[in-house]
């Protein structure tokens, strides 16, 4: 990620020599500190005026610095705001950091510069109590409106056992009941127009079409959608906060549950960031094993989407066929990992065990079986006239609109943009594989389906190459921080036994620093941004998920359509509620 030559010089020339302070990081992303009052203007320059600009606001988050181990005898800031931007032309990230000194600080909003900054700033306010001046609707987004405190502040408890017994007094009941009453004005919704009274309708939070506990507040003029406001957070369970209380090793199973259809793919995004911090290079065999398992889970996830999407628009049979094929993939996963949906199988520096005897035949049987099934599904779903009537021309957005809202993955490629992190910023050895990046051109619900179906065929190509070209060698790195180390050595020398014991109890000590890893997950770009203060637990875990910005775009692409169309738009989006709420 070194395609940022000349940026610092241009910024210094424009804003002054002393405005920016570079920072060296383990992921080699250009990282610059700047005064918080310069943030809007600098970001505007990077987005609009810089040659080869940074049009994508990839992520916006914060860190509570108040308990960080002092550097040079002092801690300069109470909080840090972190902005990750991405340039498609440069094929690289840039990271901007702004320090805040007060206990409940303020910062200028950039929601007028990027549409997707709205929810990110609301999340930072919700989790840290940082207020963004100029934000149009700064309110909680993941926590209940009646929640007291901000969970990612260091003084907030990490466990329910630290909070005392739960008690529900009468005044608390009255407060919660009042908060549940629907008041359109609180959501920025008008009750009427000049010539019509609007109707308000809840879709969810208990509705099969929302694929989880999601509430969508519809403002309707007859059957037409005037506005659609997602109410998220019902699945929020503090995945980032739990990262601060677990060891680097014991946090791995928690990642499985974020995009709970992506399985070990969640492990990979997290572990690559840990391995960057620790300076671990994994063996070639590990790379191939990880790629093979990830692509199997990509197909499994897409099969869930495929069947449920068809069901959303009126087809009942496909979901049963596709879930049956998903079980065949889980048979392979179980044969290799021992678990099925959440195998928790990747490890720091490798994988839990080597591939078992007979794995090639297990995988090859699926490779021989599944292409014929995809052809059947093409005839059953993709060529079905009713399916096309419900999806063609519905929920359209352009490449430029997708980037403005932070859309990645198949939803972005359906706009005609051939961008896939496995190709453009390859990781885990993806540069060694021959595969294509499917795209479409119309950016509607149907094209989003076209891309995902084609992706399953490309995943089969990648898996087949793993079977044919799987290298010999170890399934774990020999780096001393690899956790746990190779088991066979623990019975031969006491040092390895001690390392093994400490690694799985206290956890490994990861050197101080920060690193981000980004992968092409089942639903788009998934990134883990980890901060270590040299301890056995992360100081900060940030999970950037694709479903969060995708759901934020729902109002924009739903207006003017009907309630029936909304179900097509939701199904084509392919989101997971835990991926949104974390």
């Amino acid at each position: 990620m070194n395609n940022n030559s000349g940026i610092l010089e241009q910024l210094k020339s424009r804003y002054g020599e002393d405005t920016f302070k570079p920072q060296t990081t383990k992921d080699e992303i250009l990282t610059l500190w700047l005064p918080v009052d310069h943030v809007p203007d600098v970001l505007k320059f990077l987005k609009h005026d810089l040659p080869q600009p940074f049009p994508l606001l990839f992520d916006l988050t914060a860190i509570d610095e108040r308990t960080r181990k002092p550097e040079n005898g002092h801690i300069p800031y109470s909080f840090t705001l972190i902005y990750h931007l991405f340039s498609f032309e440069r094929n690289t990230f840039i990271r901007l950091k702004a320090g805040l000194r007060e206990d409940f600080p303020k910062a200028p909003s950039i929601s007028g510069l990027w549409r997707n900054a709205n929810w990110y700033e609301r999340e930072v306010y919700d989790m840290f109590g940082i207020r963004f001046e100029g934000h149009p609707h700064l309110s909680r987004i993941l926590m209940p409106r009646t929640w007291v405190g901000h969970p990612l502040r260091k003084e907030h408890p990490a466990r329910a056992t630290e909070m005392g017994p739960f008690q529900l007094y009468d005044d608390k009941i009255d407060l919660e009941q009042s908060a549940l009453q629907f008041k359109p004005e609180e959501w920025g919704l008008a009750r009427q127009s000049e010539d019509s009274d609007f109707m308000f309708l809840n879709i969810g939070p208990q509705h099969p079409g929302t694929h989880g506990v999601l509430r969508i507040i519809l403002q309707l003029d007859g059957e037409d959608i005037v506005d659609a406001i997602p109410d998220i957070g019902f699945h929020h369970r503090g995945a980032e906060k739990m990262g601060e209380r677990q060891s680097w090793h014991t946090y791995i199973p928690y990642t499985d549950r974020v995009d709970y259809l992506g399985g070990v793919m969640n492990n990979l995004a997290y572990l690559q960031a840990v391995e960057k911090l620790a300076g671990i290079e994994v063996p070639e065999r590990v790379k191939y094993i990880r790629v093979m398992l990830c692509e199997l889970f990509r197909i499994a996830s897409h099969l869930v989407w495929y069947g449920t999407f068809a069901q959303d628009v009126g087809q009942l049979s496909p979901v049963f066929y596709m879930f049956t094929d998903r079980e065949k993939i889980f048979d392979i996963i179980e044969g290799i990992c021992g678990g099925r949906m959440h195998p928790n199988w990747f490890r720091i520096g490798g994988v839990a065990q080597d591939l078992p005897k007979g794995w090639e035949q297990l995988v090859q049987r699926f490779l021989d079986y599944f292409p014929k099934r995809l052809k059947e599904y093409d005839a059953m779903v993709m060529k079905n006239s009713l399916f096309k009537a419900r999806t063609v021309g519905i929920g359209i957005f352009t490449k430029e609109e997708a980037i403005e809202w932070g859309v990645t993955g198949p939803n972005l490629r359906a706009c005609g943009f051939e961008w896939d992190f496995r190709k453009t910023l390859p990781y885990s050895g993806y540069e060694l594989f021959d595969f294509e990046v499917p795209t479409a051109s119309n950016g509607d619900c149907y094209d989003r389906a076209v891309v995902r179906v084609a992706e399953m065929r490309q995943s089969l190509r990648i898996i087949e190459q793993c079977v044919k070209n799987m290298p010999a060698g170890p399934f774990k790195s020999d780096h001393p921080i690899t956790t746990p180390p190779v088991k066979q050595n623990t019975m031969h020398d006491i040092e390895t036994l001690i390392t093994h014991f400490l690694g799985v109890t206290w956890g490994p000590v990861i050197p101080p620093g920060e690193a981000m890893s980004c992968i092409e997950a089942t639903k788009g770009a998934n990134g883990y941004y980890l901060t270590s203060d040299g301890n056995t637990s992360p100081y900060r875990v940030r999970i950037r998920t694709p479903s969060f910005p995708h759901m934020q775009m729902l109002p924009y692409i739903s207006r003017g359509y009907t309630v029936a169309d909304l179900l097509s738009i939701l199904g084509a989006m392919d989101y997971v509620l835990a991926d949104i709420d974390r």
Side-chain angles (χ1 to χ4, degrees):
M1 297 184 184
N2 56 0
N3 299 328
N4 285 329
S5 58
I7 292 180
L8 181 57
E9 289 71 21
Q10 292 183 63
L11 289 170
K12 286 184 175 181
S13 174
R14 186 181 180 96
Y15 297 99
E17 283 286 331
D18 300 328
T19 304
F20 300 93
K21 180 182 177 183
Q23 177 187 346
T24 302
T25 59
K26 298 292 182 70
D27 53 15
E28 299 181 356
I29 293 175
L30 176 61
T31 302
L32 303 174
W33 286 85
L34 74 163
V36 68
D37 56 340
H38 281 59
V39 165
D41 194 47
V42 171
L43 293 181
K44 183 179 178 182
F45 171 74
L46 291 171
K47 181 183 181 183
H48 293 300
D49 301 328
L50 181 75
Q52 298 179 306
F54 288 81
L56 175 65
L57 174 62
F58 183 76
D59 193 29
L60 192 172
T61 190
I63 299 176
D64 184 346
E65 305 279 10
R66 293 172 299 164
T67 60
R68 180 100 73 119
K69 291 180 181 178
E71 297 179 15
N72 302 322
H74 71 284
I75 301 173
Y77 300 113
S78 299
F79 295 87
T80 301
L81 285 175
I82 302 103
Y83 303 82
H84 283 104
L85 312 182
F86 190 80
S87 170
F88 296 99
E89 294 180 49
R90 295 173 182 266
N91 192 26
T92 190
F93 288 95
I94 187 172
R95 179 184 297 129
L96 299 178
K97 304 174 77 171
L100 307 172
R101 297 187 183 277
E102 297 82 9
D103 276 349
F104 287 91
K106 297 179 181 179
S109 172
I110 60 165
S111 57
L113 185 58
W114 271 285
R115 303 291 292 269
N116 66 327
N118 187 306
W119 274 22
Y120 285 125
E121 290 180 349
R122 286 180 62 190
E123 183 185 2
V124 170
Y125 163 71
D126 196 2
M127 296 291 111
F128 293 93
I130 299 171
R131 303 193 69 87
F132 290 90
E133 297 179 317
H135 191 285
H137 187 66
L138 192 64
S139 60
R140 290 196 182 272
I141 187 168
L142 295 176
M143 303 302 292
R145 294 190 173 199
T146 56
W147 191 264
V148 178
H150 302 276
L152 286 180
R153 293 172 68 94
K154 292 299 181 181
E155 71 268 19
H156 195 284
R159 291 178 171 86
T161 53
E162 301 169 3
M163 302 176 73
F166 177 75
Q167 294 177 309
L168 191 60
Y169 297 108
D170 289 344
D171 56 349
K172 173 70 170 173
I173 294 175
D174 294 340
L175 177 66
E176 296 295 341
Q177 292 289 348
S178 175
L180 290 173
Q181 292 178 2
F182 175 66
K183 305 177 184 69
E185 297 78 12
E186 292 182 354
W187 298 90
L189 299 172
R191 293 181 180 269
Q192 58 189 33
S193 65
E194 293 182 359
D195 56 359
S196 177
D197 289 336
F198 296 134
M199 179 174 68
F200 298 97
L201 178 67
N202 272 326
I203 302 289
Q206 308 292 341
H207 189 285
T210 59
H211 297 274
V213 189
L214 167 70
R215 177 193 182 199
I216 300 171
I217 303 166
L218 291 184
Q219 183 186 34
L220 300 172
D221 186 359
E223 182 74 6
D224 297 327
I225 296 173
V226 178
D227 213 340
I229 309 297
D231 183 13
I232 65 173
F234 296 95
H235 271 278
H236 178 69
R237 62 207 185 285
E240 295 180 7
K241 185 75 170 182
M242 288 189 285
E244 299 174 11
R245 77 179 195 203
Q246 300 297 131
S247 75
W248 296 93
H249 172 65
T250 60
Y251 186 62
I252 297 171
Y254 291 82
T255 66
D256 274 355
R257 276 79 180 169
V258 178
D259 172 9
Y260 50 70
L261 299 179
V264 295
M265 210 174 287
N266 298 277
N267 302 165
L268 183 62
Y270 168 70
L271 288 171
Q272 285 190 155
V274 177
E275 288 158 1
K276 286 180 182 179
L277 285 170
I280 298 174
E281 286 289 334
V282 300
E284 286 295 299
R285 183 173 178 84
V286 171
K287 293 179 181 179
Y288 272 74
I289 293 173
R290 286 177 171 182
V291 165
M292 183 175 70
L293 270 293
C294 284
E295 294 306 315
L296 284 168
F297 266 104
R298 191 182 309 277
I299 297 173
S301 175
H302 281 5
L303 282 172
V304 174
W305 158 81
Y306 205 177
T308 55
F309 186 29
Q311 188 177 37
D312 286 340
V313 298
Q315 286 187 279
L316 186 59
S317 298
V319 70
F320 295 103
Y321 297 122
M322 294 169 186
F323 269 59
T324 299
D325 287 345
R326 177 176 177 246
E327 288 300 308
K328 294 183 184 299
I329 293 175
F330 282 165
D331 288 342
I332 300 172
I333 301 297
E334 185 180 20
I336 293 174
C337 307
R340 292 173 74 85
M341 190 170 173
H342 300 135
N344 170 35
W345 199 64
F346 292 176
R347 295 290 183 269
I348 300 172
V351 293
Q353 303 97 19
D354 203 353
L355 294 170
K357 292 181 180 179
W359 70 270
E360 301 98 326
Q361 292 82 1
L362 201 62
V363 177
Q364 190 61 51
R365 278 199 298 270
F366 182 77
L367 292 174
D368 295 338
Y369 160 84
F370 192 57
K372 296 189 289 289
R373 298 290 281 184
L374 281 177
K375 288 183 179 179
E376 293 178 22
Y377 299 152
D378 284 345
M380 186 187 304
V381 181
M382 298 303 293
K383 296 178 182 178
N384 184 287
S385 59
L386 293 178
F387 182 82
K388 287 185 175 182
R390 293 290 304 276
T391 57
V392 173
I394 304 297
I396 299 173
F397 55 82
T398 66
K399 165 192 161 185
E400 291 73 24
E401 290 170 326
I403 294 171
E404 176 68 18
W405 286 93
V407 173
T408 55
N411 294 338
L412 176 61
R413 293 189 283 275
C415 303
F417 192 24
E418 188 178 326
W419 190 269
D420 187 315
F421 278 96
R422 294 173 296 174
K423 279 283 191 183
T424 53
L425 283 174
Y427 55 90
S428 193
Y430 269 107
E431 67 276 8
L432 305 173
F433 294 86
D434 178 28
F435 66 100
E436 298 170 4
V437 178
T439 61
S441 57
N442 298 315
D444 59 8
C445 292
Y446 186 80
D447 275 10
R448 295 196 270 283
V450 168
V451 170
R452 289 190 180 89
V453 171
E455 280 189 356
M456 287 192 277
R457 292 188 165 92
Q458 296 304 314
S459 291
L460 289 173
R461 286 181 63 185
I462 295 171
I463 295 167
E464 187 173 20
Q465 292 169 67
C466 289
V467 174
K468 290 181 178 179
N469 304 320
M470 181 66 67
F475 63 93
K476 286 185 179 179
S477 169
D478 60 0
H479 193 282
I481 297 181
T482 296
T483 307
V486 179
K487 183 74 174 178
Q488 64 192 36
N489 296 333
T490 61
M491 297 296 105
H492 293 275
D493 56 82
I494 189 65
E495 290 80 8
T496 306
L497 180 61
I498 293 171
T499 301
H500 186 281
F501 179 78
L502 293 178
V504 298
T505 52
W506 294 356
V509 175
I510 301 296
E514 60 190 72
M516 184 177 72
S517 166
C518 182
I519 71 165
E520 189 68 36
T522 62
K523 291 152 186 63
N526 182 21
Y528 275 75
Y529 172 52
L530 305 179
T531 303
S532 173
D533 61 349
N535 212 323
T536 56
S537 299
Y539 186 83
R540 172 80 170 98
V541 174
R542 169 60 179 169
I543 310 172
R544 191 276 183 192
T545 63
S547 297
F548 186 80
H550 293 179
M551 183 55 66
Q552 185 180 188
M553 196 183 189
L554 180 68
Y556 182 76
I557 59 177
S558 299
R559 295 183 186 118
Y561 291 102
T562 66
V563 177
D565 294 331
L566 177 68
L567 275 298
S568 300
I569 292 169
L570 287 170
M573 188 181 291
D574 188 22
Y575 59 90
V576 161
L577 263 300
D579 202 49
I580 297 173
D581 294 343
R582 284 152 285 130

